[in-house]
Amino acid sequence: MSEVKVALVTGAASGIGRASAVALASAGFIIAINYRSKRPEAMALLEELPGDGHQLFCADVADAAQAGKLVADVLDVYQRLDVLVNAAGQFTPQDVKSDDYDEWQNAWQHSLQLNLLAPVNLAFHAAKPMMQQGSGKIINITSRGAFRGEPTAPAYGAAKSGLNSATQSLALALGGHGICVYAIAPGWTETPAASPRIRDQGWDDVAAQSPLGRIGRPSEIGNLVAFLAGSETDYLTGAIIDANGASYLRN
Ligand SMILES: NC(=O)c1ccc[n+]([C@@H]2O[C@H](COP(=O)([O-])OP(=O)(O)OC[C@H]3O[C@@H](n4cnc5c(N)ncnc54)[C@H](OP(=O)(O)O)[C@@H]3O)[C@@H](O)[C@H]2O)c1
């Protein structure tokens, strides 16, 4: 890259966010590392990343005010923002058959706030400097569950489905300003959040959901994020990219 570019990665202390930060830093980006509670992990990432200029930014992105302040803090430090990676997210289990109404309401509110509203709020704020720059990339991590349904987490599935739709809408709205917007829809990926659930379901059974016969690795999603963040993909926008070993095509 001729000019050093800045990427804000949410949920960067672990899993897919962490792998995205590593891949982007390896490609020459400066990383604004967002974390919420995992400060030791975020500090370890900061030490590990290649290149200079990376910094930690603590924020709960599900809080609309903190999401706005996060982007403002990144701009204060770097005076530019080239890439936003919305990786922070959480799978909240639900059971429509046995949850009480409060549990049902709370899960919907939490899931929509974190998995849908946080990314679009961050995109709202990130789009302002990107429009001034005349370029930018917004990369939303959604899920295979947006297509297949999530019977044990309907709010999560609906939020990710909504984020796929928002990706397409924002790509159309912002394309005239040189901003590309993408969604990556992973399937099962070996992260700290997913691995216990994969073990519960049976590692081999989960691997068999893909014709490739294995589970995705965080680095495979991170490398895809870095590819989309680069200039080779400037004509690709509004795309929802399946990164789930074709498992969404199978039962
Ligand atoms: N792994 C999979 O199989 C899979 C499959 C499909 C989609 N995804 C999606 O991929 C993304 C990353 O998931 P992952 O598996 O890598 O999970 P992970 O290892 O738990 O990483 C998620 C990160 O998001 C952070 N986070 C959660 N709530 C936050 C908030 N309000 N503000 C800021 N950060 C917050 C978490 O930190 P704290 O704990 O400190 O909050 C954590 O570091 C999620 O959007 C997930 O839905 C994952």
Side-chain angles (χ1 to χ4, degrees):
M1 280 185 301
S2 52
E3 196 174 32
V4 180
K5 293 188 170 181
V6 175
L8 167 59
V9 182
T10 70
S14 63
I16 289 170
R18 185 183 210 286
S20 301
V22 169
L24 286 164
S26 302
F29 286 86
I30 291 175
I31 312 300
I33 300 168
N34 163 250
Y35 70 98
R36 182 180 60 164
S37 66
K38 295 184 169 71
R39 185 166 176 83
E41 291 88 342
M43 289 178 71
L45 174 66
L46 182 61
E47 290 293 308
E48 184 188 310
L49 287 182
D52 299 318
H54 317 298
Q55 284 199 29
L56 302 184
F57 294 85
C58 182
D60 177 348
V61 296
D63 178 305
Q66 290 190 46
K69 183 173 181 306
L70 171 60
V71 175
D73 288 348
V74 171
L75 289 169
D76 273 352
V77 172
Y78 299 113
Q79 285 80 52
R80 63 182 298 139
L81 180 57
D82 299 283
V83 175
L84 166 66
V85 182
N86 279 312
Q90 192 180 31
F91 181 96
T92 303
Q94 295 176 277
D95 189 337
V96 66
K97 301 185 289 304
S98 60
D99 284 354
D100 68 32
Y101 194 43
D102 281 347
E103 288 170 327
W104 183 250
Q105 288 293 309
N106 290 339
W108 274 93
Q109 275 166 17
H110 171 72
S111 212
L112 291 175
Q113 196 68 44
L114 174 58
N115 297 302
L116 177 58
L117 297 182
V120 298
N121 286 340
L122 288 160
F124 174 87
H125 291 290
K128 306 280 188 263
M130 289 177 178
M131 284 192 282
Q132 282 176 2
Q133 292 163 199
S135 66
K137 303 245 176 170
I138 298 171
I139 303 168
N140 298 314
I141 307 299
T142 65
S143 175
R144 176 188 81 162
F147 307 110
R148 291 178 31 136
E150 290 283 9
T152 61
Y156 177 83
K160 295 296 192 180
S161 194
L163 188 54
N164 279 347
S165 173
T167 296
Q168 296 170 320
S169 300
L170 293 177
L172 287 167
L174 296 171
H177 297 276
I179 301 171
C180 299
V181 190
Y182 313 101
I184 296 175
W188 285 110
T189 310
E190 287 180 49
T191 66
S195 291
R197 289 174 36 233
I198 297 172
R199 273 194 295 277
D200 285 350
Q201 292 200 19
W203 206 270
D204 291 344
D205 288 350
V206 172
Q209 292 175 11
S210 164
L212 300 175
R214 67 173 179 84
I215 292 163
R217 303 176 188 114
S219 62
E220 292 173 314
I221 308 298
N223 290 340
L224 180 55
V225 166
F227 175 62
L228 293 175
S231 56
E232 297 85 354
T233 53
D234 283 354
Y235 192 61
L236 183 65
T237 189
I240 301 165
I241 298 164
D242 296 303
N244 51 54
S247 61
Y248 84 102
L249 297 171
R250 295 166 61 122
N251 287 322

